[in-house]
Amino acid sequence: PAEYSLEHYAADVEAIVAHLGARALRLVGHSLGALVAVVFAARNPGAVERLVLVDIRLRSGPSRHRFLDRLR
């Protein structure tokens, strides 16, 4: 759905991680998954030991700046 955001996807990852009891993650994200991985890592910095981003693409313009501002 259109209303499903990166934060929703990151919350799904958080739920899976909690269910598995995983710690010190080595998280790999590809394309949209890379954006989700960045949001997850920003929300859970202590949970991510390594972060690998593959083929992450941020379009230029206001949406890119809003995304990057959210991570700061």
Side-chain angles (χ1 to χ4, degrees):
E3 65 276 356
Y4 210 77
S5 68
L6 292 173
E7 286 78 14
H8 287 106
Y9 287 120
D12 287 345
V13 175
E14 289 168 349
I16 292 168
V17 168
H19 177 75
L20 296 174
R23 290 178 287 175
L25 298 173
R26 292 167 195 98
L27 187 59
V28 178
H30 176 260
S31 192
L32 174 61
L35 295 174
V36 174
V38 168
V39 173
F40 175 87
R43 289 168 44 154
N44 303 276
V48 179
E49 182 178 284
R50 302 266 193 271
L51 180 61
V52 179
L53 306 174
V54 180
D55 196 24
I56 189 170
R57 188 172 300 178
L58 295 176
R59 295 182 181 158
S60 60
S63 61
R64 175 182 181 205
H65 296 292
R66 282 192 304 273
F67 177 75
L68 294 174
D69 287 342
R70 285 192 321 219
L71 299 178
R72 290 189 182 118

